[in-house]
Amino acid sequence: VIHGYIGSTAEVHAPAQGIPFVALAAPVTPEPEVTPKPTPDPSQPYEENGYTYYYLPEEQAVSISSYSGSDQDLVIPSTLGGYPVVQIGMHAFSFKDTLRTVTIPYGVKRILTSAIKSCPNLTSVSIPESVTELGGNVFAQCPALTSVNLPSGLTALSDALFEGCSALESIEIPAGVESIGEAAFYACTSLKRADIPAGVVSIGSNAFGNCTQMAVFTIEDSENPGLMTEFMTDAAGNATAFAGCSALSNVELGNSVKNIPNGLFSGCVQLAVVEVSDCLMGIGCDAFADSGMYAITIPESVTAIEDNAFGGCKNLYITFLGSAPSFAEDIFAEAEIWLMYPASDTTWWEIAGQQY
């Protein structure tokens, strides 16, 4: 009897010699011993290829805190120290004169406050769909920035997000955005238009302030009749979302705008036509004061118009579709208007005889 391993020479020659062959169990090769990788200390900074990063134990991932390199076209790595990069920390790439373009890897979830602020030569930023949070001032004071894509998972555009990005001509706001923060696009002096998706419920003070070339502003109609879009007001109670928008000429406010707050379009000297929905209920003090608006149709849903709402408007054609709303004092102060209303509606008879 010959004992041997399967596939050995003994297995081949034993039958040829007429000798019985008995297979032996194959030898077991021990698994190599693996030394577990030590867990990084989350309180300590680590460095790799010019990046300083911190470990995030809850996610078993890392956050970039700074970068010491001088690349012009920067492609941020998806891993550091063998861990995925999920966060760009505060000021991580701010004040970098050398940066021209930045590509952020898929897997990053958050870009924190002022992460890429004040990069004077930055022209383009590529943001992956994995990003769901952009902090305040992330791209503020990047005057050469012309191209940036906003991922569809965003629900908010934070305060001063693009403040001072004077070369930015256009931006596509994702459909899932619900709020636009204070001064989000302040002094974006090349921005031509802003189209707001239907789900936005809050637009901050000075959100588009001093966008001196913005000519068109629209808010889409919502399929949710209960949705309300509010323009935030300052300490004096005035809405300043369009303060200094000297080129704004065409405005369409969707059905989520139930009230036009105090001073919203005051001083917009190029304003021509404003379209509102039949869900509008009120117009605040100075809402269109000293604007260039020449035509507006007021739906019958409007029940109140406050002081000086149309004060100082010249050659303004106002068409009312319903009964006379509640008028505050001097809504047409120093204005020159053409007032059109249903002739058979007796609520207008006294008002029509007044002099403005």
Side-chain angles (χ1 to χ4, degrees):
V1 176
I2 295 178
H3 297 264
Y5 298 118
I6 298 297
S8 66
T9 303
E11 181 184 17
V12 174
H13 291 286
Q17 303 297 323
I19 302 172
F21 175 77
V22 177
L24 298 174
V28 177
T29 303
E31 293 288 336
E33 187 174 339
V34 177
T35 304
K37 183 167 63 173
T39 301
D41 183 348
S43 67
Q44 296 297 317
Y46 296 86
E47 294 186 8
E48 182 179 317
N49 297 329
Y51 296 93
T52 301
Y53 63 93
Y54 284 83
Y55 180 64
L56 304 174
E58 301 85 358
E59 300 176 81
Q60 297 184 24
V62 298
S63 171
I64 295 175
S65 61
S66 66
Y67 175 65
S68 61
S70 58
D71 288 0
Q72 292 187 357
D73 300 303
L74 181 65
V75 179
I76 298 172
S78 59
T79 63
L80 286 171
Y83 293 95
V85 175
V86 298
Q87 180 172 283
I88 309 297
M90 294 174 62
H91 295 285
F93 298 96
S94 60
F95 301 99
K96 288 288 182 182
D97 293 351
T98 57
L99 282 181
R100 300 294 193 276
T101 67
V102 173
T103 301
I104 298 168
Y106 189 86
V108 171
K109 301 175 183 179
R110 300 174 298 275
I111 303 175
L112 302 190
T113 301
S114 301
I116 315 177
K117 177 182 178 181
S118 296
C119 295
N121 299 304
L122 181 68
T123 62
S124 174
V125 179
S126 176
I127 307 174
E129 281 292 298
S130 57
V131 171
T132 58
E133 179 185 336
L134 292 174
N137 295 278
V138 166
F139 305 110
Q141 299 301 322
C142 291
L145 184 64
T146 59
S147 174
V148 59
N149 62 293
L150 296 178
S152 60
L154 291 178
T155 59
L157 302 186
S158 300
D159 293 351
L161 182 61
F162 292 102
E163 181 263 323
C165 293
S166 54
L168 189 67
E169 294 187 6
S170 64
I171 191 75
E172 183 174 346
I173 299 175
V177 168
E178 298 175 357
S179 66
I180 298 174
E182 181 176 342
F185 295 94
Y186 184 81
C188 288
T189 52
S190 295
L191 190 67
K192 300 298 190 296
R193 64 181 296 149
D195 297 302
I196 310 302
V200 171
V201 297
S202 173
I203 298 176
S205 296
N206 272 310
F208 297 93
N210 281 351
C211 290
T212 52
Q213 291 192 49
M214 187 175 73
V216 178
F217 179 85
T218 69
I219 299 180
E220 294 178 350
D221 278 336
S222 172
E223 296 180 0
N224 178 4
L227 190 74
M228 180 180 293
T229 299
E230 293 187 74
F231 292 89
M232 298 296 102
T233 57
D234 60 16
N238 294 313
T240 57
F242 305 109
C245 290
S246 54
L248 185 62
S249 59
N250 290 281
V251 173
E252 296 178 20
L253 300 179
N255 58 7
S256 62
V257 178
K258 307 298 195 287
N259 290 282
I260 298 176
N262 298 352
L264 183 60
F265 297 104
S266 178
C268 293
V269 293
Q270 295 297 321
L271 192 63
V273 178
V274 176
E275 296 183 18
V276 299
S277 80
D278 57 7
C279 293
L280 185 68
M281 296 184 293
I283 300 175
C285 297
D286 302 304
F288 298 99
D290 299 312
S291 72
M293 185 174 63
Y294 66 76
I296 186 171
T297 298
I298 308 294
E300 57 184 336
S301 56
V302 172
T303 58
I305 301 178
E306 302 298 332
D307 290 349
N308 205 44
F310 302 99
C313 294
K314 307 299 182 184
N315 295 316
L316 171 61
Y317 286 76
I318 304 180
T319 301
F320 285 88
L321 299 181
S323 298
S326 171
F327 284 111
E329 187 176 347
D330 295 330
I331 69 165
F332 301 118
E334 299 182 19
E336 298 173 4
I337 65 164
W338 296 88
L339 187 63
M340 286 156 279
Y341 55 88
S344 59
D345 192 325
T346 59
T347 61
W348 285 101
W349 291 1
E350 180 180 351
I351 296 171
Q354 295 182 21
Q355 197 76 22
Y356 295 104

